[in-house]
């Protein structure tokens, strides 16, 4: 024990010792002096000594006991305080829990969505009463149902798989599935599944009725399917129609061209043949516009960027309309500025836009001039190309300017009656330019003229050097032996009429089988192959010819000659083993060029 403790003990024991000693001394005095009156036996010193000896340990023991008791009392009161606090804390918590529970119950009872808790062993622990509104089962009935009662096996299995992938406290997984209600009707539920993160392994599932949403989705999907089917049917119809229209046009344009070139016509007949040619070419451009527009509407315009020369584009487009312009007494000026750089853009599509502007300018201008102007703004390896066609024609009234680029839009009925047209040209042009992320527009003053313009952006490019070994044009001495595989007798006659004056010997076959047989028997410099034919089509015939040649080693160029002119149809021809493609109606110049180009060569593709 430390001296301080000793001091404390002595301090606390001393009063007791003094009390006992005092008492003993008082008893000694009272008994011996006052009562017995025997002072001789009154021995205060001995009493003091004896009482001191007896009282000190007794007092010390009593003090210790008292201190122990005091400590015990303190401990007891501390533990009573602690207990009281614990009871108060427990009461507070119970009150809070009761409040929370009543809130949760209120929530659970009034939820429109369904909330459920599942034990790790797959028993239902809790289900909110909203289950009755959703499924028609009372809460008690529902709690007794097996988990898979209302869903198909496939839906149940896929949800089980989803649950198997959950992690405690992790993100929820969701699933849509169809359920059968108590009355047999069907509903769609969307459920979110999550494992509680408290280690209890309890699965929380919240479900909501999405029948209405699902019905809308299904309706939309059905409508979309119907629209897609209708659109596919429309595209098929248009493809068939244009094919069917092209076939007779091939004969009309082709023979008109043959007649025009022949020298035996008198002046009147030559003029009339010219009219046939003009009219049939107009009809062909309408057919082309309709096909083009339907493809653009269906989003099927694939751009094919390649290096092209804008200045050459302007001159060749101007040349194409020059004859018509001169016939009306109009002057065409081409202003391309100096140093226009080649660009990497879909040149043919851009030419289509410029040509459409030019054709309209010639069509809607009675006198004056038409100017084609091209300019370029070059920055960082790219350029903005602006093309504009200005005329001094009838102009466009301000109220028509806004929708002039819409499909089937013509300025007014009187104009369309006077000039004809489909109202598709500018709509096609707008789609082409927008597909190139460019801009298109018009400035016009009624009665004074119009400027139609476009602006497109594209990278600068290097033009490839022109082919050195360009084929010389055919002459009467060509001596080319050609096999024409074509089921249409008129077309066979037409091709012969176009080629024979140039010294081309044309042998014909009426279908693919006859074509393959002719190739087996004879030697040809070139094959012109129709695609759609009875008995055997041109693609199959080409494959058979290529297989046959594979064994023999020699390979004759085959050029498709078909009214199938869509890019994917051209690609199919090349994939079948053909070398080139000529569209119908047959353009005599292009036909002669193709014969000159291919008759001196061999097929080189694998
Ligand atoms: P189409 O010329 O076949 O009718 P377009 O789409 O090319 O179809 O042109 C739509 C309409 O825009 C024309 O019918 C005409 O009213 C008007 N238009 C186009 N170009 C000109 C122009 N250069 N001058 C006056 N009007 C024009």
């Amino acid at each position: 024990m430390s001296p301080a403790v000793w001091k404390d003990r002595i301090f606390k024991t001393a009063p007791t010792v003094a009390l006992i000693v005092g008492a003993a001394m008082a008893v000694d005095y009272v008994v011996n002096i006052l009562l017995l009156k025997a002072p001789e036996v009154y021995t205060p010193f001995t009493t003091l000594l004896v009482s001191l000896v007896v009282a000190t340990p007794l007092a010390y023991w009593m003090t210790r006991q008292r201190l122990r008791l005091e400590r015990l009392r303190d401990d007891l009161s501390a533990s009573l305080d602690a207990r009281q606090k614990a009871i108060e804390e427990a009461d507070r918590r119970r009150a809070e829990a009761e409040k929370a529970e009543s809130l949760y119950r209120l929530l659970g009872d009034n939820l429109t969505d369904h909330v459920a808790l599942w034990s790790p062993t797959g028993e239902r622990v809790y289900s909110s009463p909203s289950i009755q509104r959703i499924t028609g089962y009372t809460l008690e009935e529902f709690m007794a149902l097996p988990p898979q009662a209302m869903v198909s096996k496939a839906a149940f299995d896929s949800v089980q798989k989803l649950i198997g992938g959950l992690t405690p406290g992790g993100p929820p997984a969701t699933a849509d599935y169809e359920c059968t209600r108590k009355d047999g009707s069907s509903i769609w539920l969307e459920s979110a599944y999550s494992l509680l993160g408290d280690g209890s392994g309890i699965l929380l599932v919240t479900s909501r009725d999405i029948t209405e949403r699902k019905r809308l989705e299904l309706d939309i999907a059905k409508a979309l399917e119907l629209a897609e089917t209708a659109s596919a049917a429309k595209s098929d119809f248009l493809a068939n129609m244009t094919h069917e229209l092209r076939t007779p046009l091939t004969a009309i344009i082709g023979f008109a061209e043959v007649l025009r070139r022949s020298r035996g016509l008198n002046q009147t007949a030559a003029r009339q043949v010219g009219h046939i040619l003009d009219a049939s070419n107009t009809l062909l451009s309408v057919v082309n516009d309709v096909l083009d527009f339907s493809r653009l509407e269906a989003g099927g315009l694939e751009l094919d960027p390649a290096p092209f020369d804008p200045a050459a584009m302007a001159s060749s487009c101007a040349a194409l309309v020059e004859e018509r312009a001169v016939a009306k007494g109009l002057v065409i000026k081409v202003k391309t500025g100096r140093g226009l750089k080649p660009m990497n853009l879909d040149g043919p599509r851009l030419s289509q836009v410029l040509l459409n502007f030019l054709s309209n300018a010639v069509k809607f201008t009675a006198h004056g001039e038409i100017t084609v102007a091209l300019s370029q703004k070059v920055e960082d390896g790219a350029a903005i190309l602006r093309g504009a066609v200005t005329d001094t024609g009838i102009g466009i009234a301000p109220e028509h300017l806004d929708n002039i680029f819409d499909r089937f839009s013509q300025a007014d009925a009187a104009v369309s009656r006077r000039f004809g047209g489909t109202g598709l040209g500018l709509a096609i042009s707008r789609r082409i330019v927008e597909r190139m992320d460019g801009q298109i527009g018009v400035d016009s003053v009624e009665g004074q003229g119009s400027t139609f313009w476009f602006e497109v952006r594209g990278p600068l490019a290097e033009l490839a050097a022109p082919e050195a070994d360009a084929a010389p044009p055919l002459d009467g001495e060509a001596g080319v032996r050609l096999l024409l595989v074509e089921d249409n007798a008129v077309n066979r006659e037409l091709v012969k009429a176009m080629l024979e004056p140039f010294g081309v010997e044309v042998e014909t076959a009426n279908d693919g089988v006859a074509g393959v047989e002719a190739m087996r028997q004879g030697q040809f410099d070139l094959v012109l192959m129709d695609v759609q034919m009875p008995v055997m089509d041109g693609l199959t015939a080409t494959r058979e010819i290529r297989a046959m040649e594979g064994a023999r080693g020699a390979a004759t160029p085959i050029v498709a000659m078909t009214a199938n002119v869509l890019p994917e149809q051209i690609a199919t021809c090349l994939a079948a083993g053909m070398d080139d493609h000529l569209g119908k109606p047959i353009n005599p110049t292009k036909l002669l060029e193709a014969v000159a180009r291919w008759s001196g060569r061999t097929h080189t593709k694998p």
Side-chain angles (χ1 to χ4, degrees):
M1 251 189 296
S2 67
V5 174
W6 272 117
K7 220 168 126 187
D8 184 51
R9 289 269 170 93
I10 291 164
F11 186 70
K12 282 184 173 153
T13 309
T16 314
V17 173
L19 199 70
I20 294 171
V21 171
M25 296 285 285
V27 168
D28 191 16
Y29 179 79
V30 169
V31 171
N32 292 321
I33 305 293
L34 297 184
L35 294 177
L36 297 176
K37 307 220 191 290
E40 66 282 3
V41 286
Y42 174 56
T43 51
F45 187 68
T46 312
T47 303
L48 177 70
L49 251 177
V50 170
S51 66
L52 252 180
V53 169
V54 173
T56 302
L58 184 66
Y60 179 73
W61 179 80
M62 280 171 69
T63 304
R64 265 190 64 190
Q65 290 309 312
R66 188 167 57 82
L67 286 174
R68 234 185 74 215
L69 282 173
E70 274 175 12
R71 234 183 7 255
L72 275 174
R73 191 199 58 211
D74 289 350
D75 287 356
L76 193 65
S77 84
S79 91
L80 279 175
D81 279 357
R83 215 177 129 224
Q84 185 57 33
K85 274 194 190 130
I87 288 168
E88 281 169 17
E89 179 66 18
D91 282 352
R92 197 180 58 76
R93 287 196 180 171
R94 197 178 56 242
E96 269 179 6
E98 275 169 4
K99 199 169 150 199
E101 195 187 328
S102 78
L103 271 176
Y104 285 135
R105 194 160 297 283
L106 194 75
L107 262 177
D109 290 355
N110 292 285
L111 269 179
T112 47
D113 289 357
H114 177 237
V115 179
L117 295 174
W118 293 77
S119 76
T121 47
E123 281 104 35
R124 287 195 170 91
V125 178
Y126 170 79
S127 166
S128 62
S130 51
I131 195 66
Q132 182 159 8
R133 191 189 55 76
I134 296 175
T135 65
Y137 288 103
T138 64
L139 190 54
E140 292 69 32
E141 286 169 338
F142 180 72
M143 292 298 270
L145 280 180
Q148 66 275 38
M150 294 190 302
V151 292
S152 70
K153 183 166 169 5
F156 181 74
D157 289 348
S158 88
V159 166
Q160 289 305 110
K161 207 167 147 205
L162 204 73
I163 294 170
L166 292 174
T167 49
T174 52
D176 296 356
Y177 52 91
E178 201 173 8
C179 267
T180 311
R181 298 178 85 237
K182 187 178 175 184
D183 62 6
S185 62
S186 149
I187 48 163
W188 277 88
L189 292 185
E190 179 190 74
S191 295
Y193 303 85
S194 49
L195 274 184
L196 298 189
D198 60 0
S200 61
I202 285 188
L203 175 72
L204 168 69
V205 187
T206 52
S207 309
R208 71 173 38 170
D209 183 353
I210 54 160
T211 313
E212 190 57 18
R213 193 183 88 194
K214 210 72 189 176
R215 196 180 58 73
L216 280 176
E217 276 174 21
L218 290 177
D219 283 358
I220 290 169
K222 225 181 270 169
L224 198 71
E225 200 183 303
L226 272 177
E228 275 167 3
T229 316
S231 157
K234 188 182 97 181
S235 299
D236 283 357
F237 171 76
L238 281 169
N240 283 337
M241 277 305 290
T242 49
H243 182 273
E244 291 309 307
L245 285 167
R246 271 166 196 280
T247 307
L249 271 173
T250 305
I252 300 170
I253 296 177
F255 280 114
E257 192 71 50
V258 170
L259 273 178
R260 197 177 67 139
R261 286 167 188 239
S262 78
R263 296 196 186 106
L265 294 184
N266 65 32
Q267 219 181 2
T268 312
R271 203 183 62 247
Q272 287 166 350
V273 167
H275 292 328
I276 296 175
L277 252 182
D278 286 349
S280 47
N281 272 318
T282 306
L283 186 55
L284 177 64
S285 72
V286 171
V287 170
N288 284 340
D289 274 2
V290 171
L291 181 65
D292 231 16
F293 186 75
S294 72
R295 288 181 51 229
L296 284 165
E297 283 275 271
L301 173 69
E302 286 299 325
L303 293 178
D304 186 12
F308 89 105
D309 180 1
M313 170 183 80
S315 327
S316 66
C317 286
L320 281 171
V321 295
E322 191 159 16
E323 202 181 316
R324 262 183 290 153
V326 169
K328 286 180 86 177
L330 301 170
V331 179
I332 295 195
K333 290 182 181 163
V334 180
K335 291 185 183 168
T336 52
R338 235 176 288 143
L340 272 190
K341 296 201 164 64
M343 292 171 74
N344 202 44
L345 284 170
D346 191 329
R349 284 293 182 184
L350 218 48
S351 299
Q352 196 179 343
V353 176
L354 199 64
L355 195 57
N356 183 42
F357 288 175
L358 272 165
S359 304
N360 279 343
V362 173
K363 188 162 132 187
F364 296 108
T365 306
H367 38 74
E369 59 180 40
I370 293 164
T371 312
V372 191
L374 284 193
S375 60
Q376 228 178 15
K377 218 193 290 169
V378 179
E379 46 187 48
D380 300 336
I384 297 171
L385 178 70
R386 183 185 165 90
V389 174
T390 304
D391 64 53
T392 51
I394 60 169
I396 301 164
E399 66 269 25
H400 297 305
L401 278 177
D402 279 350
N403 55 4
I404 208 81
F405 291 96
D406 293 347
R407 62 182 174 172
F408 309 124
S409 167
Q410 294 180 312
D412 62 45
V415 169
S416 67
R417 264 198 311 277
R418 217 170 106 210
F419 296 96
T422 57
L424 281 177
L426 289 178
I428 292 172
S429 301
R430 187 182 78 181
R431 278 170 171 73
I432 292 173
V433 172
E434 284 177 351
R435 184 76 182 73
M436 294 179 177
D437 292 331
Q439 286 172 326
I440 192 167
V442 58
D443 307 308
S444 184
V445 179
E446 200 175 8
Q448 291 186 20
S450 318
T451 297
F452 281 84
W453 57 267
F454 67 78
E455 263 184 23
V456 285
R457 195 186 166 81
L460 293 176
E462 290 290 326
L463 279 183
E467 265 190 46
D469 62 345
L474 284 178
D475 56 27
E477 309 298 315
V480 174
R481 206 163 169 259
L482 180 146
L483 173 65
L484 170 67
V485 189
E486 163 71 68
D487 63 317
N488 185 308
V490 178
N491 285 347
R492 290 199 297 269
E493 191 186 329
L494 175 63
V495 173
K496 278 180 150 198
M498 284 176 168
L499 292 179
E500 280 174 352
F502 293 89
V504 180
E505 186 190 336
V506 181
E507 194 167 309
T508 58
N510 297 0
D511 58 51
V513 171
V516 175
E517 193 45 40
M519 284 295 284
R520 200 189 310 275
Q521 304 286 329
Q523 279 285 328
F524 296 96
D525 298 305
L526 174 66
V527 181
L528 286 180
M529 180 75 78
D530 187 15
V531 172
Q532 287 187 14
M533 287 183 289
V535 189
M536 181 189 280
D537 64 64
L539 299 172
T540 315
T542 302
R543 284 188 208 104
E544 293 213 354
I545 291 169
R546 292 293 177 233
M548 202 165 74
E549 287 173 338
R552 277 204 320 225
T556 311
I558 302 178
V559 175
M561 202 179 62
T562 168
N564 294 344
V565 292
L566 299 178
E568 57 273 21
Q569 292 171 325
I570 296 173
T572 315
C573 290
L574 300 182
M578 299 192 194
D579 298 85
D580 205 349
H581 176 277
L582 279 175
K584 284 179 183 167
I586 306 157
N587 177 312
T589 314
K590 284 190 178 158
L591 174 66
L592 290 170
E593 272 171 16
V595 173
R597 186 162 61 245
W598 286 105
S599 51
R601 300 200 197 171
T602 49
H603 171 76
T604 47
K605 288 183 195 149

